[in-house]
Amino acid sequence: MAAVAGVPTVVGGLLLLAGLSGLWGLARYRVDFPVVPLSLGAGLGLLAYGAYLRGQAPERRVATAAVPRTLLAARRTVVAIFVLVMLFWSVAVYAQARGVREAGRVAATISRRPDVTVYSARRLQLAGPTIRETELRGPDAAYRFRHTGLKLVVRSGGKWFRLPASWTPGNGGAALLLPDTDALRVEFRPGR
């Protein structure tokens, strides 16, 4: 039983060391995969499992039985909470890496995204390097303003996310969020 308990203990210790060295900046992992939080969580979990297995060995059962159940439950709870926090941290690291990768893809393909023209009854005060607002005249015009120079990024949750057509990460153009309402008319054209 001691040999079986040694495997998770050694692997857990190595994972914990890898996670701590990444956390303290002693090692750099150049991957999008959340190495540090997963190593910390898996390492501590395996160390705790190794300790549990050692406590189940026949020669250790008497000593394990003498430990109050509340202390054992508290240790398990602390380990479970730590592993859960590391799991949440891992998901956050992965989501951030995925978002950065997607933002890079959007920036690289902005010119191929659909052109957007927005018509509105009132001025929308949209600002950006390529955004143009034109006042439309005429007694029967349902919409008095036309806004051009926009690119569609995505539609989500009843809102349109748009960027100025010449947007780059460094030119100061802001992402524009417009609601999907009857107060706006939106036209799309294929990107160039």
Side-chain angles (χ1 to χ4, degrees), residues 2-122:
V4 172
V7 172
T9 302
V10 169
V11 173
L14 291 173
L15 284 172
L16 200 58
L17 282 174
L20 288 173
S21 63
L23 184 67
W24 293 332
L26 301 175
R28 293 187 187 248
Y29 305 108
R30 297 190 183 272
V31 293
D32 290 344
F33 193 72
V35 174
V36 171
L38 285 178
S39 295
L40 291 172
L44 185 64
L46 285 171
L47 282 174
Y49 183 60
Y52 168 77
L53 289 177
R54 275 192 312 282
Q56 297 303 308
E59 64 274 6
R60 300 275 322 236
R61 284 194 183 197
V62 174
T64 302
V67 177
R69 290 190 184 273
T70 54
L71 181 61
L72 291 174
R75 277 198 302 200
R76 288 182 189 132
T77 302
V78 167
V79 168
I81 288 171
F82 182 81
V83 170
L84 194 60
V85 167
M86 293 302 106
L87 187 60
F88 280 122
W89 184 15
S90 299
V91 170
V93 168
Y94 175 76
Q96 180 182 4
R98 178 92 190 256
V100 167
R101 198 168 46 245
E102 180 65 18
R105 190 180 68 74
V106 167
T109 62
I110 192 74
S111 65
R112 294 190 303 255
R113 295 195 168 266
D115 292 318
V116 178
T117 302
V118 178
Y119 294 89
S120 63
R122 291 186 280 184

